[in-house]
Amino acid sequence: MNVSAPPQQTHPDVASQATVSLRPVQMRVGGGVAAYWRKVWAIAHKDLRAEVRAKEIFSTMSAFSVLAVLVFGLAFDLRVPQAEMVVPGVLWGVLLFGGVLGLHRSFGSEVDRGNLAGLLLAPVDRSAIYFGKVLAHLAFLLATEGMLLPVMLVIFDVNLFRPGILAGLLLGTLGYVAVGTLFAALTASSRSRETMLPILLLPVMVPVFVAGVGLTVASLDGRSFADYRHWLAILAIYDMIFLTLAFVVFDLIWEDA
Amino acid sequence: MGTVTASKTMRRRLTGWDVAALLLNLTAVGAMALVMWAALLYARPAVNLAGDEQIAQRIFYIHMGCNIGALAGFLCSLVGSGLYLFTRRLDWDRVAQAGVEVGTLFGCGTILTGIFWAKPAWNTYWTWDPRLTTATITVLLYVAYLLFRNGIDNRHTRARFGSIYAVFAFLSVPLTYYSARWFRSIHPVVFGGSNPEAQGDFETIGPTMSQTLSIAMVGFLVLYVALMWLRWRQLRLADRLEELREELET
C-alpha cells in the first residue's frame, strides 16, 4: 500500500471499477463545520464501501448474534416459564459480545493491511477519522440489530419493535461504538487485540448494559414512557460524556506515529 | 552520565527520603496495630445487634478502611493520568500505576470483607446492591487497566494509553453507580433515599464506635500512603534500571 499518497488521489484499482462513481473528496485543512463533516463522511464512506465489498464485519457479527441467540434460547428453554424474563438480558448481552467482533476490525483491519499510516497521513483532523469510524460502525451494528430483532421475534416470540426499545438501541449502540472505536484504536497495534478489547470494553459498558436491560424490561412490561425515560437519559448522558471525551483524547493516540 | 550517577547511587548512604520512608512504614505498621486493637477490643459491641451479627459488625472498620484506601488509589490514578497527559512526565504515570495497583488491592479487600460481613448480616454473600455492583465493576476495570498496560512494550505508549484508559474507567464509575441504583428500584427518584448499607447513627450508639471508625480510616490512609510511596519508588527504580541497561547495551 502506498503510504505517501494522500487519499484524495483515488487508487487506480478502485477508479477502474466503473460501477462506483468516485467523486474526489475535497480535503482541505481548516474550513467550516460542513467541510469537517465532509471529511468525516469520506472516512465513513471508505469503511462502508469496503464492507459492502468484503462483507466481513456484518457477516461475522450477524452470524455470531444469531448463533448466540439460538444458544441462549436452548439454554433457557427448559427452565424459564416466560421468554419475556430473559429476552432483555439476551438482547443486550448478545449485542455487547457480538459488537466486539466487529469493533476490533475497526482499526485492526487498517493495521493488518498496512493502511494505518496512510489513514493517519490524510490531511484531516484526527477526530474526523474517529467520527468517521464511529459512523461506519454505528451503521454495521444497527444493521446487525435490524437482523437480530426479527430473529429474536421468531425464537422467543417476543416483539421487540417498540419505540422505547428502538430508541434505547440507537442510543446504546451509539455509546457502545463511541467507546468501542476509541478502545479499538488503543488496542489496534497490540499483539492480543482480539482478547484485550473485550476486557477493556465490557466493564466500561456496564452502564449501557444496565440501562439497556432496564429500558427493555420496562418497555416489555408495558410501562408508560415516563417510567423508563430515565434509562434513555442515562444512555444519552453516557453518549455525550464519552463522545466528548473521545473527541478530546483521540488526538493523543497516534502522536508518535 | 548514566554510569556516574549509577556509581553514586551505589555508594549512597541513607538520605533524608529513605529515613522518611522508613518512618512512614513504621507509622503504617503502628497505625494498623492501633486499628486492629480499636476495631476488635476498644469499640463497644453494637447494642442493636446480637450473636454472630454483633461480632461480624466489627469487620465494618476494616471494610471502611479498605474502601478509603481504594478510593484514594483510584483518585490518585485519575490525577496521575490527567497530569501525565498534560505534562508528559513519566513520574505522574508511575503515580497512576501505583495508585491503581494499591487501589485494586484495597478494592479486593473491600469486596472480600464485604462478602464475609454480608453472610451474617444479610444472610447472603452477594446481592446486586448498587454499591456491590459498582465496587466489583470498578475493581474489574482496574484489573483490565493493569492487563492492558502489561501488553504494551514502549514505555511512553504504555503511559499514554494507560492514562487515556484510566480517565475513561474513572468516569464510567459514577454512571455505573447510578444505573445500578436505578436498576433495583421501581421509581427513578431515589436520590437521597434510604441507604441499604446505613449502619445507624454512630453518635447515638456510642462514642467508641465513631472513634474507632475515625482511627480505622486514618490508619488505612496512612497504610495506603506508605504502600503507594513504596510502589512508586519501586516503579521509578525499575524504569531507571531499564534505562541504564539500555545505555549499557548501546
Side-chain angles (χ1 to χ4, degrees):
Chain A
M1 191 45 100
N2 54 344
V3 165
S4 56
Q8 67 261 42
Q9 290 179 358
T10 48
H11 201 277
D13 292 346
V14 179
S16 64
Q17 294 193 345
T19 45
V20 187
S21 71
L22 267 184
R23 274 177 304 159
V25 186
Q26 279 150 21
M27 294 278 190
R28 277 171 304 162
V29 179
V33 177
Y36 183 78
W37 283 107
R38 225 173 11 251
K39 293 165 192 166
V40 169
W41 175 241
I43 306 275
H45 195 205
K46 171 191 90 65
D47 274 13
L48 288 171
R49 200 191 297 130
E51 176 60 22
V52 165
R53 289 187 190 151
K55 297 174 193 68
E56 184 186 18
I57 295 171
F58 173 73
S59 54
T60 315
M61 287 200 297
S62 51
F64 175 84
S65 306
V66 172
L67 273 173
V69 167
L70 283 172
V71 168
F72 279 126
L74 278 170
F76 294 131
D77 189 39
L78 297 175
R79 279 288 178 190
V80 179
Q82 270 181 309
E84 277 89 346
M85 290 179 172
V86 292
V87 157
V90 171
L91 172 69
W92 287 90
V94 165
L95 273 181
L96 236 58
F97 289 122
V100 175
L101 294 181
L103 273 172
H104 81 82
R105 299 298 301 159
S106 168
F107 287 94
S109 62
E110 309 278 2
V111 172
D112 288 350
R113 292 168 188 158
N115 206 11
L116 188 64
L119 191 68
L120 293 179
L121 280 172
V124 296
D125 199 73
R126 291 272 163 89
S127 62
I129 299 176
Y130 168 74
F131 283 120
K133 291 277 181 190
V134 166
L135 217 59
H137 276 265
L138 189 65
F140 301 153
L141 214 56
L142 287 178
T144 310
E145 284 160 19
M147 196 218 47
L148 186 63
L149 292 188
V151 170
M152 292 191 74
L153 174 67
V154 173
I155 305 270
F156 290 107
D157 195 19
V158 175
N159 185 10
L160 292 165
F161 290 95
R162 295 160 197 256
I165 297 179
L166 293 180
L169 277 176
L170 184 66
L171 286 175
T173 312
L174 180 61
Y176 184 49
V177 173
V179 179
T181 304
L182 186 98
F183 287 2
L186 283 180
T187 52
S189 42
S190 101
R191 290 179 299 270
S192 53
R193 62 167 178 262
E194 285 89 353
T195 49
M196 208 60 244
L197 181 60
I199 291 174
L200 290 185
L201 188 54
L202 293 180
V204 181
M205 277 301 132
V206 168
V208 168
F209 182 76
V210 171
V213 171
L215 177 111
T216 314
V217 167
S219 180
L220 281 180
D221 286 354
R223 300 224 196 97
S224 66
F225 177 70
D227 272 348
Y228 59 77
R229 66 175 171 210
H230 58 281
W231 293 123
L232 288 175
I234 279 208
L235 289 173
I237 291 169
Y238 187 95
D239 292 359
M240 277 190 288
I241 291 178
F242 284 106
L243 270 175
T244 315
L245 192 64
F247 173 72
V248 173
V249 301
F250 194 75
D251 273 359
L252 303 174
I253 292 179
W254 283 295
E255 63 183 15
D256 53 358
Chain B
M1 169 249 166
T3 47
V4 175
T5 28
S7 60
K8 242 187 215 164
T9 339
M10 285 209 275
R11 259 190 274 115
R12 201 183 58 163
R13 316 295 290 185
L14 281 181
T15 64
W17 286 111
D18 293 328
V19 175
L22 195 66
L23 283 178
L24 183 63
N25 294 343
L26 288 175
T27 318
V29 172
M32 287 323 289
L34 186 67
V35 168
M36 289 306 147
W37 168 77
L40 299 178
L41 300 171
Y42 176 66
R44 289 231 202 88
V47 286
N48 57 342
L49 302 172
D52 281 354
E53 264 191 273
Q54 203 173 35
I55 300 165
Q57 186 270 335
R58 290 178 187 272
I59 293 178
F60 172 69
Y61 304 112
I62 295 152
H63 182 67
M64 198 61 204
C66 282
N67 195 16
I68 292 289
L71 194 72
F74 298 145
L75 264 176
C76 274
S77 88
L78 178 75
V79 172
S81 301
L83 283 174
Y84 172 76
L85 288 178
F86 275 111
T87 62
R88 298 307 163 100
R89 291 173 55 132
L90 282 176
D91 267 339
W92 288 120
D93 180 58
R94 290 176 201 124
V95 168
Q97 190 188 349
V100 169
E101 286 180 357
V102 179
T104 308
L105 200 68
F106 278 116
C108 291
T110 312
I111 293 170
L112 277 178
T113 51
I115 285 172
F116 293 148
W117 184 25
K119 186 63 181 172
W122 298 341
N123 199 25
T124 173
Y125 291 111
W126 190 261
T127 70
W128 288 105
D129 173 79
R131 287 181 187 220
L132 269 72
T133 316
T134 313
T136 314
I137 298 291
T138 310
V139 169
L140 286 176
L141 274 172
Y142 286 107
V143 170
Y145 168 92
L146 293 173
L147 286 174
F148 179 45
R149 284 185 69 106
N150 275 346
I152 306 171
D153 293 330
N154 184 305
R155 184 68 188 85
H156 292 272
T157 314
R158 193 195 307 155
R160 202 167 68 244
F161 284 14
S163 300
I164 292 173
Y165 185 69
V167 173
F168 270 79
F170 195 88
L171 282 184
S172 81
V173 170
L175 279 168
T176 307
Y177 178 71
Y178 282 113
S179 57
R181 192 171 185 172
W182 275 335
F183 198 55
R184 284 290 139 195
S185 70
I186 302 161
H187 293 288
V189 190
V190 286
F191 289 107
S194 66
N195 176 354
E197 263 187 302
Q199 287 304 305
D201 191 352
F202 277 94
E203 298 307 317
T204 58
I205 293 173
T208 55
M209 292 178 83
S210 60
Q211 281 165 11
T212 306
L213 184 63
S214 311
I215 293 172
M217 281 159 81
V218 173
F220 270 90
L221 209 56
V222 173
L223 178 68
Y224 167 76
V225 174
L227 286 177
M228 176 87 187
W229 193 0
L230 280 177
R231 185 62 185 143
W232 180 79
R233 273 186 62 183
Q234 199 181 11
L235 288 171
R236 218 185 133 108
L237 290 172
D239 279 351
R240 182 101 188 85
L241 186 68
E242 192 69 23
E243 277 170 29
L244 288 175
R245 202 171 276 157
E246 275 170 23
E247 263 178 55
L248 280 179
E249 277 169 11
T250 51

